[in-house]
Amino acid sequence: MAMKEAAATETQKIANPRGLPIAKHFAVDPADNVTGYKSYHAGSFDFRRDGYFAYIATPKGFHTLPVDAFLRALMRDVAWGFFYGTVNFDQVFGTTNYYGEVDMFLGSTNEAYTSVGREFIERFKSNELMDIFKQMVSDWTIEGYDPFAAPMETGAPWGVKNGDNDKAVGRTRVTARRMVGLKGDTPVRTDQNGFPVNRMFDDVKQDAPEVYPEPGFEHEVSAFNLFAYLSRSDVTWNPSVCSVVKDSLFCPTSEEYILPVEHGNDRCEWFVTLSDEIIWNIKDGKTGRPKAVVRQKAGDCACMPADIRHQGFSAKRAMLLVWENGSPKVPDLIREGKAPTVAVSF
Ligand code: PHB
Ligand code: FE
């Protein structure tokens, strides 16, 4: 995920704008006789899958998603520890991260639901909901299907329970402490350590920068070829922390097909397209009303405001630099009106 290891929540009060109590009920039902999949319960949310669909039942509504889309989104929510702000799996279901606690909702970021009071929200301890989500993504992902992969690079998720793919869903994310390639930090990718160049990046040069530090500075100077690094990513839409300077996190990623979530950020977020082209659909964060379409070509830079949601589309695998301010103070400052929702005012 695009986040430092420890979000500094210990010293900070956890925000709870809706004043919700913590839901405590969790259960897992045994595998269904017909489909072979377990069903999962968190608070009043019930989750079930069959050959094609994921079903979410709540006291106020029932929702259905194609199971491939559900698993891709669930995988991101799990891998990113609920990410920054809101992860909309689609226009109805999702989670909002309060860093230590999390709201799970049906319809609360969709004006059609909220305007008639049809939304349903419950709050959980993050680690307790995460435990259920991890079990669900493991059980519902079958052999040959990789929810991190582009559709052309994976098998299908359809049908009855048939094995698993814990190797894929259990991938540990890259979170550099300082920078990729430093001694003791996350390594550069090579053929030897299991990261061959992706088929869509076989034109990317694989040379490495030459570094000549002054004597005595050998352990303080380092460089790596970020394009070569990204050309070897085995996953899509999965920003990893590649360099850290205080709260400034560079989280590059390789993008093919569709960002599996509509991300409603709780802070401003910069996007620099490093190669190829990505189209972003921008909607209002609260209502889902369309706001803009941004077509970013290689070299283009955009800053996503803190009050929108965005979803990217990339027909040809592209490289994207996501630049985050990882400070845990930013969401409260924005909620309290003490920090702007845009990085630049013209
Ligand atoms: C984002 O929500 O900002 C985001 C998430 C995953 C990506 C790129 C951007 O791969
Ligand atoms: Fe985002």
Side-chain angles (χ1 to χ4, degrees), residues 205-211 223-225:
K205 285 209 187 79
Q206 296 295 318
D207 53 358
E210 293 173 21
V211 181
F224 71 106
N225 179 343

Side-chain angles (χ1 to χ4, degrees), residues 218-239:
E218 290 84 353
H219 302 301
E220 296 186 32
V221 185
S222 181
F224 71 106
N225 179 343
L226 178 62
F227 287 92
Y229 185 82
L230 288 175
S231 73
R232 294 173 176 275
S233 173
D234 62 336
V235 293
T236 59
W237 305 103
N238 190 36

Side-chain angles (χ1 to χ4, degrees), residues 43-72:
S44 312
F45 284 80
D46 300 329
F47 298 89
R48 185 170 68 78
R49 85 154 274 186
D50 62 16
Y52 277 130
F53 300 109
Y55 304 98
I56 305 169
T58 77
K60 282 179 84 175
F62 183 81
H63 188 56
T64 307
L65 291 94
V67 81
D68 61 332
F70 181 80
L71 287 172
R72 283 194 294 266

Side-chain angles (χ1 to χ4, degrees), residues 80 83 237-239 253 255 259 263 269 271 280 310 320 322:
W80 303 341
F83 210 29
W237 305 103
N238 190 36
T253 158
E255 319 296 49
L259 173 57
H263 179 218
E269 182 180 38
F271 291 161
W280 292 97
H310 49 254
L320 172 70
V322 181

